[in-house]
Each structure stands twice: as C-alpha cells, then as structure tokens.
Amino acid sequence: MAAARAVKVMGVVNVTPDSFSDAGRHLDPAAAVAHARRLIAEGADLLDVGGESTRPGAGPVSEAEEAARVVPVIEAVRAESAIPISVDTMKPAVARAAIAAGASLWNDVTALRHAPESLPLAAELGCEVVLMHMQGEPGTMQKAPRYDDVVAQVGAFLARRAEAAIAAGVDPARIWLDPGIGFGKHMTRHNLPLLAGLERITALGFPVLLGVSRKSFISALDGGGVTADRRLGGSIAGALWGAAAGVAAVRVHDVAATVQALRVWGAIAAART
Ligand code: HH2
C-alpha cells in the first residue's frame, strides 16, 4: 500500500505557446488533455490549467484567446475525471468560463486585483480562490524588485487580500494563499528568505499553495545555465521544504517524482516519535 500524503500535489497543465518550462508543448487541446491524463495517472490531487504565461517578460493574451485555450481542456478533463481543476488566470471572464466548464478553483497570480469585478465575481462564483503575492506586473516584475523585509511584506499583503476577499463575500474556508516564488522577487535575495520564513505564511491560518517547480532560482543556486527541464532535484527540494513548513499543496510540473518524494518524506515525518 502506498504511504499517505498530507501535502496535495497540483499538476501544471499549460495551454500556452510560451510558458517558461514547457513552452508550446500542450497548446493543442488534445495534447493538453493527454498531458492532464498523464498527471492524473501519476497521482496528481488537482490540476492547474493555464492559458496565459506569467513568466517574466511574457506578452499579454486576449480574453477570448485565453478562454479558447483553457475551456475545451477543462471540459474534456471534467468529462472523464472528477479531479478538482483550477484555472490559472487573472481575467474575470476567463475565470467565469472556466468555472462554468467544470473548474472549482480560481488561481489568480494578482490575488484578485487585476479587475474591479474580480473580488465580487469570486464571491458570486462560490469557487475556491488562490490569492498569490506578486510585486509589479508579469511583464516587468523582475526589473528591480525591492523589499525591506520580504516575509513580513508578503505575509501582510496576503492577510490584506484575504480580508478583502472575505469582505467581498468570499467564504473564508475557500481561500488559499501563495507567497508567489519568483514573482517580483530577486532570485536569491528575496526567494530564499521567503522560503526560509514560509512558516510565517502558513501561520496566517489559510491553506498555502507553493510553486517552486522548475523556477529560475534553482538554476541560480546550481551554478547558472540550468535549463527548466533539468531542475527536478531543486524542485523536489523546494516541495519537501514546503511540506516541512506546513503547506497544503505544491504546484508542480513533475508529478510522479514529487508524489514519491512527498510519500517518503511524509512516512518518515509520521514515524518521528
Ligand atoms: N507559478 C507560475 C504560474 N502560476 N500560480 C500560483 N498560484 N503559484 C505559482 O507559483 C505560479 C502560478 C509559473 O509557472 P508556469 O505555469 O510553469 O509558467 P508560466 O507562467 O510561464 O506559464
């Protein structure tokens, strides 16, 4: 029998031509659905479907184009699996279409700040929401990120966004927080202290989603020049660090290896007396 895991694994399904880690591989809906199937077979607990890259320097995608990318994939996965599906979008219209197609979680890297209707819409849809921290905008966020105390500032921001969501009518039990590793953060000066202080984010009392998978800081820590497809070791180190800090879920590209790592880590942690 496989060991139980306390930390959920969210598998990434990017339906984009330009994502940093798997650019264009699943832009065709059939390829994206096949990828989703593979992630489910590998043990994913939930899937995150995205139609717009948020990588530093990424260009914008129209609402119609983004919805046209994600909706068929969500519908097709929903038709054959009961796995919870999240939509990775900052656009209210895309979130609405995705939830209608069968998603139950709105993962918003702007923490529902992109449009005035985002907060009320999240309340109206009654879905779960991921509120993520990002300094700046995706296009420019890595130019010159600045913090006095990154853990305190990210924590305060997330607490404020959770309050705003609750004030707008979002059920507090449906709120997740995410420190936004790599989003307006210097590779090492900000991402590392933020990960080191992760327990102060989990202590805010909401489930925390952590995304470190294949991110550039792994390359920076491994001598530089390490392409996204060669960052599995660092991604797993980050996932296990998150597990130790009490995160509820990790957002990953490599589901099978992460599931195994978390099973082993969880079994050892459970055997501690
Ligand atoms: N990271 C990425 C995208 N969405 N959402 C949350 N909540 N947390 C994250 O850390 C996060 C996220 C970036 O990864 P990826 O989807 O692989 O790349 P891209 O944005 O280029 O599509």
Side-chain angles (χ1 to χ4, degrees):
M1 196 195 77
R5 284 180 293 116
V7 181
K8 290 191 175 359
V9 172
M10 172 188 269
V12 177
V13 181
N14 283 323
V15 200
T16 56
D18 54 355
S19 287
F20 79 94
S21 63
D22 50 10
R25 233 177 285 161
H26 316 122
L27 186 56
D28 166 39
V33 174
H35 184 61
R37 247 180 237 135
R38 189 160 54 243
L39 299 185
I40 293 169
E42 289 178 0
D45 301 289
L46 51 165
L47 296 179
D48 190 35
V49 179
E52 178 183 36
S53 175
T54 47
R55 85 186 146 75
V61 179
S62 79
E63 209 168 80
E65 169 68 20
E66 193 181 333
R69 288 178 185 175
V70 297
V71 165
V73 175
I74 293 170
E75 280 175 348
V77 173
R78 179 51 64 247
E80 59 183 71
S81 166
I83 191 165
I85 301 171
S86 144
V87 60
D88 187 352
T89 186
M90 59 179 86
K91 299 191 186 78
V94 176
R96 186 188 281 282
I99 300 292
S104 57
L105 199 157
W106 180 359
N107 173 23
D108 186 351
V109 299
T110 75
L112 302 175
R113 291 177 302 154
H114 180 67
E117 64 269 33
S118 296
L119 278 170
L121 178 64
E124 179 199 321
L125 294 173
C127 57
E128 293 184 76
V129 291
V130 177
L131 306 174
M132 197 198 79
H133 177 273
M134 168 168 59
Q135 188 179 90
E137 300 289 325
T140 52
M141 65 189 178
Q142 291 307 107
K143 290 248 157 68
R146 284 185 62 89
Y147 299 86
D148 296 319
D149 178 338
V150 67
V151 185
Q153 285 171 256
V154 169
F157 169 89
L158 292 174
R160 274 200 311 276
R161 293 310 296 162
E163 270 172 37
I166 294 164
V170 175
D171 179 353
R174 295 186 192 272
I175 295 175
W176 298 62
L177 304 179
D178 184 329
I181 298 300
F183 284 83
K185 282 139 194 132
H186 182 273
M187 300 256 204
T188 48
R189 279 204 305 279
H190 301 141
N191 287 322
L192 292 183
L194 187 52
L195 283 164
L198 202 52
E199 281 171 348
R200 284 163 61 195
I201 307 295
T202 56
L204 292 171
F206 295 92
V208 170
L209 173 67
L210 180 68
V212 294
S213 182
R214 298 189 184 178
K215 288 194 173 163
S216 315
F217 80 101
I218 296 171
S219 170
L221 294 174
D222 197 22
V226 181
T227 51
D229 59 336
R230 292 188 296 125
R231 297 178 190 164
L232 178 58
S235 302
I236 288 180
L240 298 184
W241 181 269
V247 304
V250 287
R251 182 184 180 279
V252 307
H253 303 85
D254 302 286
V255 168
T258 310
V259 163
Q260 184 183 67
L262 287 169
R263 277 201 181 119
V264 172
W265 181 88
I268 297 168
R272 197 162 53 171
T273 51

